[in-house]
């Protein structure tokens, strides 16, 4: 269910039920995908000031923040990858934040998951 069809990248899925329990409410591939996204943003100087080199500590903080925001959700909820943005938006350069806000407005609210 979580394989990318173009074959360009391969991200891990759940190994077994125990792996699902350990990573819930996240999908296993989100960890690698988020790390790749952070690296790409860093390569393009998307972060402000001292946040330009974003490491694993920052990633853990984002995942912790998102997990806490899901604490009161129904157990059937899985974290959307888009929720990771909430954890990094404050350290992105203002022009990038503006572009994202403009994209959100043009897409419209039915596509956005706001918590």
């Amino acid at each position: 269910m979580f394989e990318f069809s173009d074959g360009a990248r391969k991200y891990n899925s759940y190994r077994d039920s125990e792996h699902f329990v350990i990573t819930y409410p996240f999908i296993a591939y989100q960890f690698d995908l988020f790390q790749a996204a952070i690296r790409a943003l860093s390569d393009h100087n998307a972060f402000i000031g001292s946040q330009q080199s974003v490491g694993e500590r920052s990633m853990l903080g984002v995942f912790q923040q998102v997990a806490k925001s899901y604490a009161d959700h129904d157990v059937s909820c899985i974290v959307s990858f888009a929720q990771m943005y909430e954890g990094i938006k404050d350290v992105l350069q203002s022009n990038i934040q503006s572009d994202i806000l403009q994209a959100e407005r043009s897409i419209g609210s039915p596509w956005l998951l706001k918590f």
Side-chain angles (χ1 to χ4, degrees):
M1 181 189 295
F2 299 117
E3 291 182 14
F4 294 90
S5 61
D6 69 355
R9 293 199 178 228
K10 177 126 173 102
Y11 291 103
N12 294 330
S13 188
Y14 300 114
R15 293 185 300 266
D16 52 32
S17 59
E18 182 179 348
H19 188 226
F20 172 82
V21 170
I22 291 169
T23 58
Y24 176 83
F26 300 98
I27 302 170
Y29 75 85
Q30 291 175 329
F31 301 101
D32 293 333
L33 183 59
F34 185 69
Q35 185 175 32
I38 291 296
R39 280 191 194 129
L41 287 167
S42 184
D43 289 347
H44 290 90
N45 299 316
F47 298 105
I48 57 175
S50 64
Q51 302 298 322
Q52 287 180 349
S53 70
V54 178
E56 301 216 358
R57 178 179 291 237
S58 299
M59 285 183 50
L60 289 173
V62 170
F63 279 96
Q64 181 181 30
Q65 177 184 348
V66 173
K68 285 180 178 180
S69 74
Y70 270 71
D72 294 329
H73 284 71
D74 184 89
V75 294
S76 65
C77 289
I78 298 288
V79 169
S80 161
F81 187 75
Q83 290 302 314
M84 305 304 172
Y85 171 69
E86 293 299 317
I88 63 168
K89 71 179 181 182
D90 293 335
V91 295
L92 291 174
Q93 292 189 26
S94 60
N95 61 321
I96 293 172
Q97 289 182 26
S98 296
D99 290 346
I100 292 170
L101 287 172
Q102 183 178 359
E104 286 178 341
R105 284 192 294 271
S106 68
I107 290 173
S109 62
W111 294 97
L112 301 177
L113 298 175
K114 296 288 185 185
F115 295 95

